[in-house]
Amino acid sequence: MAKARSPNRERALQIWLERKGDITNRELAELLGEKEKTISNWKSRDQWNVVLQTGECSTTIKRESKAGAPKGNKNAVGNSGGAAPKRNSNAVTHGFFRKFFPDETLEITFKPRNWI
């Protein structure tokens, strides 16, 4: 379970916004009884400067997903995507069964399944 947020964290943000960012971390720390470094961490993690400029809480800001290949990537030209080609070896972790397939394994593999 995650650690509960300090109520001073929200109070620090409110004080900072009321003064329009014109208060030092040291002054905030003295007002709230916290460490100066703690206030600095809160400002960084919650992006108080962005909140002051845009008026939006940093936890509600939607960021673009950077999934996929970079723009202009030519690595997959001609590939239609989807499944791997037939008889590919993506699932082979080592070449043991490719070179040596024991007879008893072969029997088990091709045995009719009457027991289902």
Side-chain angles (χ1 to χ4, degrees):
M1 190 165 123
K3 186 178 176 183
R5 281 181 98 153
S6 170
N8 282 343
R9 190 172 187 158
E10 296 299 324
R11 274 194 273 159
L13 176 60
Q14 291 305 319
I15 294 169
W16 193 78
L17 289 174
E18 287 169 5
R19 299 207 185 170
K20 295 182 176 31
D22 193 28
I23 185 171
T24 64
N25 292 350
R26 182 168 290 161
E27 291 171 358
L28 266 174
E30 289 172 0
L31 283 172
L32 300 172
E34 294 283 348
K35 295 177 186 173
E36 185 178 350
K37 186 65 179 171
T38 302
I39 302 294
S40 174
N41 286 336
W42 291 346
K43 281 176 73 173
S44 174
R45 290 181 184 152
D46 295 342
Q47 299 176 355
W48 289 5
N49 290 328
V50 174
V51 174
L52 184 64
Q53 292 169 358
T54 63
E56 295 178 2
C57 183
S58 64
T59 56
T60 60
I61 295 173
K62 302 287 186 221
R63 292 187 171 82
E64 269 189 43
S65 173
K66 294 191 177 189
K71 198 170 195 172
N73 185 356
K74 305 288 185 204
N75 290 342
V77 171
N79 184 358
S80 62
K86 289 182 180 179
R87 313 260 317 148
N88 81 344
S89 58
N90 287 353
V92 176
T93 55
H94 53 78
F96 179 74
F97 277 107
R98 179 171 287 175
K99 294 176 184 175
F100 173 74
F101 206 69
D103 291 334
E104 55 271 4
T105 307
L106 196 61
E107 289 174 17
I108 294 170
T109 306
F110 294 112
K111 193 178 230 183
R113 296 200 289 179
N114 296 334
W115 47 271
I116 295 180

